[in-house]
Amino acid sequence: MPRPPGHGPGYEIKRQEIIDKAAALFAKKGYAATGIAEVGDVAGLARGALYYYIGSKENLLVEIQDRVMRPMLASVHRIAGLDEEPVLRLRMLSQTLLENILARLDHVWVYEHDYRNLHGDNRARLLRQRREFENIVQELLVAAMDDGSFRKLDPRLATLQFLNLHNHTYQWVKPDGEWDAEYLSRAYCATLFRGFAGAGRQFDDVEDRMSEFLAKRMTGPGAP
């Protein structure tokens, strides 16, 4: 929800703070079980002041969902458009997905558990975004099958395997734990790529090429 005309930067700072606190509260209690008064309590605002910033409780859920999907879609579109082999792009996508999960665990929890509480256009838009993301993954998997890197698989089932391995990480991962996004992505992709591999295909150079990519991302502008 864009900042209404006439509202200064302080308005947007406060609104973002409300969204952060609501995401933590929804992740702990569930969206449906959390009353708007409880959101106001953690934000330190009366009901009228809260609505001034967020409009409605569902708007909060929309904002949380957008914080998950908007950066993910932007990143995966950039990755999909790179002139690299599909397997390497899948490794990049894997790490980007896990980086986003670790960066916003509360938001991802709400995204996974509470999207069904959206209604009408809000729900339809989110479902379109989810399909868009899944289609990019599937297209890369199919491209890896077409170039012989992966054996011929059911594209939909392969997509679900890829996504399910990643998407449940939020349930147990710790942001300050022993496993960061790079480590997890390397482990996940080693398992997936060996299972998907075409006859005689090895992926020994993928991690070296991924390291080169990450080094460029750290030093160059505009990388996903």
Side-chain angles (χ1 to χ4, degrees), residues 69 111 115 126-134:
M69 284 307 300
Y111 170 83
Y115 74 90
L126 176 67
L127 293 176
R128 284 196 301 270
Q129 290 175 325
R130 291 170 76 107
R131 285 193 297 270
E132 182 180 349
F133 177 75
E134 291 170 7

Side-chain angles (χ1 to χ4, degrees), residues 155-171:
R156 181 61 180 157
L157 181 56
T159 301
L160 291 172
Q161 288 175 280
F162 185 96
L163 292 175
N164 285 343
L165 186 56
H166 290 78
N167 286 350
H168 292 286
T169 304
Y170 78 94
Q171 295 181 339

Side-chain angles (χ1 to χ4, degrees), residues 109-167:
W109 186 278
V110 177
Y111 170 83
E112 292 289 349
H113 286 259
D114 293 318
Y115 74 90
R116 293 177 181 85
N117 290 289
L118 292 170
H119 300 92
D121 290 343
N122 288 333
R123 184 168 180 173
R125 182 168 62 89
L126 176 67
L127 293 176
R128 284 196 301 270
Q129 290 175 325
R130 291 170 76 107
R131 285 193 297 270
E132 182 180 349
F133 177 75
E134 291 170 7
N135 287 341
I136 293 170
V137 176
Q138 182 165 312
E139 287 167 5
L140 287 174
L141 289 165
V142 169
M145 296 177 209
D146 290 343
D147 74 6
S149 298
F150 293 166
R151 56 192 170 85
K152 292 299 182 181
L153 302 157
D154 181 311
R156 181 61 180 157
L157 181 56
T159 301
L160 291 172
Q161 288 175 280
F162 185 96
L163 292 175
N164 285 343
L165 186 56
H166 290 78
N167 286 350

Side-chain angles (χ1 to χ4, degrees), residues 19-20 23 64 67-68 104-112:
I19 297 167
D20 282 335
I64 292 166
R67 281 184 174 185
V68 174
R104 291 197 180 276
L105 279 176
D106 288 341
H107 290 65
V108 173
W109 186 278
V110 177
Y111 170 83
E112 292 289 349

Side-chain angles (χ1 to χ4, degrees), residues 4-191:
H7 292 73
Y11 171 90
E12 186 61 24
I13 291 170
K14 183 63 178 178
R15 197 172 71 87
Q16 295 300 321
E17 177 188 321
I18 294 167
I19 297 167
D20 282 335
K21 291 182 176 179
L25 188 60
F26 294 161
K28 182 179 180 180
K29 296 192 62 176
Y31 173 83
T34 303
I36 195 67
E38 293 173 275
V39 178
D41 287 343
V42 298
L45 295 171
R47 184 185 295 262
L50 183 64
Y51 281 127
Y52 168 74
Y53 285 102
I54 56 97
S56 70
K57 183 183 171 187
E58 184 164 334
N59 279 346
L60 279 173
L61 187 55
V62 170
E63 292 283 358
I64 292 166
Q65 303 286 338
D66 279 351
R67 281 184 174 185
V68 174
M69 284 307 300
R70 194 179 301 154
M72 269 306 306
L73 282 173
S75 293
V76 299
H77 275 294
R78 286 195 295 268
I79 290 169
L82 292 174
D83 186 21
E84 301 287 354
E85 66 183 65
V87 168
L88 181 58
R89 283 181 283 162
L90 282 165
R91 173 64 173 83
M92 294 174 183
L93 188 151
S94 164
Q95 184 159 329
T96 297
L97 174 55
L98 290 165
E99 286 171 349
N100 278 270
I101 289 172
L102 280 163
R104 291 197 180 276
L105 279 176
D106 288 341
H107 290 65
V108 173
W109 186 278
V110 177
Y111 170 83
E112 292 289 349
H113 286 259
D114 293 318
Y115 74 90
R116 293 177 181 85
N117 290 289
L118 292 170
H119 300 92
D121 290 343
N122 288 333
R123 184 168 180 173
R125 182 168 62 89
L126 176 67
L127 293 176
R128 284 196 301 270
Q129 290 175 325
R130 291 170 76 107
R131 285 193 297 270
E132 182 180 349
F133 177 75
E134 291 170 7
N135 287 341
I136 293 170
V137 176
Q138 182 165 312
E139 287 167 5
L140 287 174
L141 289 165
V142 169
M145 296 177 209
D146 290 343
D147 74 6
S149 298
F150 293 166
R151 56 192 170 85
K152 292 299 182 181
L153 302 157
D154 181 311
R156 181 61 180 157
L157 181 56
T159 301
L160 291 172
Q161 288 175 280
F162 185 96
L163 292 175
N164 285 343
L165 186 56
H166 290 78
N167 286 350
H168 292 286
T169 304
Y170 78 94
Q171 295 181 339
W172 52 263
V173 74
K174 304 294 183 185
D176 55 351
E178 60 180 312
W179 300 324
D180 62 10
E182 183 177 356
Y183 181 91
L184 289 171
S185 179
R186 189 164 58 245
Y188 287 2
C189 287
T191 299

